[in-house]
Amino acid sequence: MNFIKEQIEIIKEKDPAIKSNFEVLLYPFFKVIIYYKISHYFYNKKHFFIARYLSEKAKRKTGIEIHPGAIIGKGLFIDHGTGVVIGETAVIGDNVTILHGVTLGGRGMQKGKRHPTVGNNVFIGSGAKVLGNIKIGDNAKIGANAVILKDVPENATVVGVPGKIVKIRNT
Amino acid sequence: MNFIKEQIEIIKEKDPAIKSNFEVLLYPFFKVIIYYKISHYFYNKKHFFIARYLSEKAKRKTGIEIHPGAIIGKGLFIDHGTGVVIGETAVIGDNVTILHGVTLGGRGMQKGKRHPTVGNNVFIGSGAKVLGNIKIGDNAKIGANAVILKDVPENATVVGVPGKIVKIRNT
Amino acid sequence: MNFIKEQIEIIKEKDPAIKSNFEVLLYPFFKVIIYYKISHYFYNKKHFFIARYLSEKAKRKTGIEIHPGAIIGKGLFIDHGTGVVIGETAVIGDNVTILHGVTLGGRGMQKGKRHPTVGNNVFIGSGAKVLGNIKIGDNAKIGANAVILKDVPENATVVGVPGKIVKIRNT
């Protein structure tokens, strides 16, 4: 039940539209993160078919597709979520916020590690595509509909197609 | 039944692919606008949980997420619709057309009015993200995948990431 | 059963994440292409309502919307697929790969042929919008979130909003 409390805290902290604790049950993210935890368990046991079956089922229910192989830190929040795709070798740090339409995807047909590694406290705006085995530094912000094909430094704000750094915050 | 007739007229007027009146029943927009009307009623009565429950259910069925708090004028048409997100404090005028993948969303964590106000006869192309408490003037056109973070004047056509005015039509 | 074998070959060839033949059953594309073949049959017989009913049903299950009127060549692969919209008069060549969030759509309210014609071996990245009665040449590559409003020559790579040619490969 700790897990559910934690999810309630995350969602209440990150979405100003929420009105009550019960509403957390309605968030597609709440559903998909439970499916992910189970599918990731099966993936690690090399039960790939059941793992993918569960992730596809979660996607049908929520519009959010998280490959069971992805590695996800604490405090992730995916808002709305329709169209989100997170690839098999993506790695996500702690306290990351991802909006609907975001892809953490591959480029072409490489094998092995082919999806992004996202640092802590990163914010990725709606519709952004982050593609290839690149690193997104801690505290980076990625704008809506941006296309990111290169590493992004810590504390940077990146927008546009292709993404350009428009600000690096001092900390 | 007036309402259904009205929807048939809107969809027949706006989609050249439609072949018969019955086909209107297949449009996800037809479904989602009925759900919205009910959920908006409950929202105004401050029954927030049932309101959000209905809007989430509509989203699962249609891919279109309209927060029950949004205020929507007459003659809205959302074509295709997968991935559309309309935020709690968004206001939409009359005769607006919105395509799939469009967001009328917020920026960061403000409280209060934090989503766009869209004028009459506005067209918003597929994948466009309109973010923050900004105003989109009457008759404006927003291009596919554009990102709009500032007010858009009446009769303007805006494209790109971030959006730039490419034309202001005389009327 | 030939058809199923063929689909297995296509998906195994194009997705490095697949682990076994059975996994093909989980791909939304596998489902949607079967629905498309049936709905296209009814469309050609002018049973438009049943055709559209099937395509809408497929969309609800997969997130992929293929109008029954679209004409599709051999070896198409749609990966992930949520948010894909393929219009009534779109024509797709052989061995085309399309990612999630792609639109082959119209512009405004023309009648007749109003959607793109896509050549052979074309790759269209996630979130790209290809709009209007335009031609995408053989072997072209279209970048993620690109907006394509004009013809694209053979062997070209096009990125950005609006799309610009960044490379033409010699062959």
Side-chain angles (χ1 to χ4, degrees):
Chain A
M1 295 304 89
N2 238 357
F3 169 73
I4 291 176
K5 261 193 210 157
E6 204 181 292
Q7 295 306 316
I8 293 175
E9 287 314 307
I10 292 168
I11 295 177
K12 287 182 71 172
E13 191 193 312
K14 295 203 176 168
D15 187 351
I18 194 166
K19 300 280 190 294
S20 71
N21 285 356
F22 287 110
E23 237 183 86
V24 166
L25 298 170
L26 302 176
Y27 277 71
F29 173 64
F30 182 70
K31 221 172 273 176
V32 89
I33 197 72
I34 292 170
Y35 271 96
Y36 163 74
K37 280 178 185 289
I38 301 169
S39 73
H40 188 60
Y41 171 86
F42 283 114
Y43 182 90
N44 285 339
K45 300 270 178 193
K46 297 196 188 304
H47 296 305
F48 297 125
F49 186 83
I50 179 77
R52 281 278 289 124
Y53 173 80
L54 290 169
S55 71
E56 271 299 311
K57 195 169 172 189
K59 189 208 124 189
R60 273 204 308 284
K61 285 170 180 278
T62 64
I64 300 169
E65 182 172 345
I66 305 178
H67 196 286
I71 294 170
I72 294 179
K74 287 180 196 166
L76 174 66
F77 178 50
I78 300 176
D79 204 3
H80 310 297
T82 305
V84 166
V85 174
I86 296 175
E88 182 178 18
T89 64
V91 177
I92 298 176
D94 295 339
N95 300 314
V96 170
T97 302
I98 288 176
L99 292 194
H100 51 290
V102 165
T103 298
L104 305 180
R107 297 170 67 181
M109 290 297 302
Q110 314 97 310
K111 303 268 169 183
K113 176 81 169 92
R114 61 196 183 282
H115 301 116
T117 297
V118 175
N120 301 323
N121 310 309
V122 170
F123 174 93
I124 307 180
S126 54
K129 309 292 186 265
V130 184
L131 304 178
N133 183 16
I134 60 177
K135 281 193 185 164
I136 309 300
D138 292 349
N139 313 307
K141 289 187 190 191
I142 294 173
N145 282 359
V147 175
I148 310 297
L149 306 171
K150 293 179 187 166
D151 288 357
V152 170
E154 292 185 14
N155 305 306
T157 300
V158 183
V159 304
V161 182
K164 279 180 186 135
I165 298 173
V166 290
K167 189 156 67 171
I168 300 201
R169 292 179 307 282
N170 298 312
T171 45
Chain B
M1 295 302 88
N2 239 357
F3 169 74
I4 292 176
K5 262 193 209 156
E6 204 182 291
Q7 295 306 315
I8 293 175
E9 287 314 307
I10 292 168
I11 295 176
K12 285 181 73 172
E13 192 193 312
K14 296 204 174 166
D15 188 352
I18 194 165
K19 301 282 190 293
S20 71
N21 285 355
F22 288 111
E23 237 182 86
V24 167
L25 298 170
L26 302 175
Y27 278 71
F29 173 64
F30 182 71
K31 219 172 274 174
V32 89
I33 197 71
I34 292 170
Y35 271 96
Y36 163 75
K37 280 178 185 291
I38 302 169
S39 72
H40 188 59
Y41 170 86
F42 282 114
Y43 181 90
N44 284 339
K45 301 270 177 194
K46 298 198 187 303
H47 296 305
F48 297 126
F49 186 83
I50 179 78
R52 281 278 291 126
Y53 173 81
L54 289 168
S55 71
E56 271 299 311
K57 195 170 172 188
K59 190 207 122 189
R60 274 206 305 283
K61 284 170 180 279
T62 65
I64 300 169
E65 182 173 346
I66 305 178
H67 196 287
I71 294 170
I72 294 179
K74 287 180 196 168
L76 174 67
F77 178 50
I78 300 175
D79 204 3
H80 310 297
T82 305
V84 166
V85 175
I86 296 175
E88 183 178 18
T89 64
V91 177
I92 299 176
D94 294 340
N95 300 312
V96 169
T97 301
I98 289 176
L99 292 193
H100 51 290
V102 165
T103 298
L104 305 181
R107 296 169 69 181
M109 289 297 302
Q110 313 98 312
K111 301 270 170 183
K113 176 82 168 90
R114 60 196 185 282
H115 301 115
T117 297
V118 174
N120 301 323
N121 309 308
V122 170
F123 174 92
I124 308 181
S126 54
K129 309 290 185 268
V130 183
L131 304 178
N133 183 16
I134 59 177
K135 281 191 186 166
I136 309 300
D138 292 349
N139 312 307
K141 289 187 190 191
I142 294 174
N145 282 358
V147 175
I148 310 297
L149 306 172
K150 293 179 188 166
D151 288 357
V152 170
E154 291 185 15
N155 305 306
T157 300
V158 183
V159 306
V161 183
K164 281 181 185 132
I165 298 174
V166 290
K167 190 158 63 173
I168 300 201
R169 293 179 307 282
N170 298 311
T171 44
Chain C
M1 295 306 87
N2 239 356
F3 168 74
I4 291 176
K5 261 192 208 157
E6 206 182 291
Q7 295 307 316
I8 293 175
E9 287 315 307
I10 291 168
I11 294 177
K12 286 181 71 172
E13 193 193 314
K14 296 204 175 165
D15 186 353
I18 194 166
K19 301 281 190 292
S20 71
N21 285 356
F22 288 111
E23 237 181 87
V24 167
L25 298 170
L26 302 177
Y27 277 71
F29 173 64
F30 182 71
K31 220 172 274 175
V32 89
I33 196 73
I34 292 170
Y35 272 95
Y36 162 74
K37 281 178 184 289
I38 302 169
S39 72
H40 187 60
Y41 171 87
F42 282 114
Y43 181 91
N44 284 339
K45 300 271 178 193
K46 298 199 188 302
H47 296 305
F48 297 126
F49 186 84
I50 178 79
R52 281 279 290 126
Y53 171 80
L54 289 168
S55 72
E56 270 300 311
K57 194 169 172 188
K59 190 208 122 187
R60 274 206 306 283
K61 284 170 180 280
T62 65
I64 300 169
E65 182 172 346
I66 305 177
H67 196 286
I71 294 170
I72 294 180
K74 287 180 196 167
L76 174 66
F77 179 51
I78 300 176
D79 204 3
H80 310 296
T82 305
V84 166
V85 174
I86 296 176
E88 183 177 18
T89 64
V91 177
I92 299 176
D94 294 340
N95 300 313
V96 169
T97 301
I98 288 176
L99 292 194
H100 52 290
V102 165
T103 298
L104 305 180
R107 296 168 69 181
M109 290 297 303
Q110 313 98 312
K111 302 268 168 183
K113 175 83 168 90
R114 60 194 184 281
H115 301 116
T117 297
V118 175
N120 301 322
N121 310 308
V122 170
F123 174 92
I124 307 180
S126 53
K129 310 291 186 266
V130 184
L131 304 178
N133 183 15
I134 58 178
K135 281 193 185 163
I136 310 300
D138 292 350
N139 313 307
K141 290 188 189 188
I142 293 173
N145 282 0
V147 175
I148 310 297
L149 306 172
K150 293 179 185 165
D151 288 358
V152 170
E154 291 186 14
N155 305 306
T157 300
V158 183
V159 305
V161 183
K164 282 183 185 129
I165 298 174
V166 291
K167 191 159 63 173
I168 299 201
R169 293 178 306 281
N170 297 310
T171 46

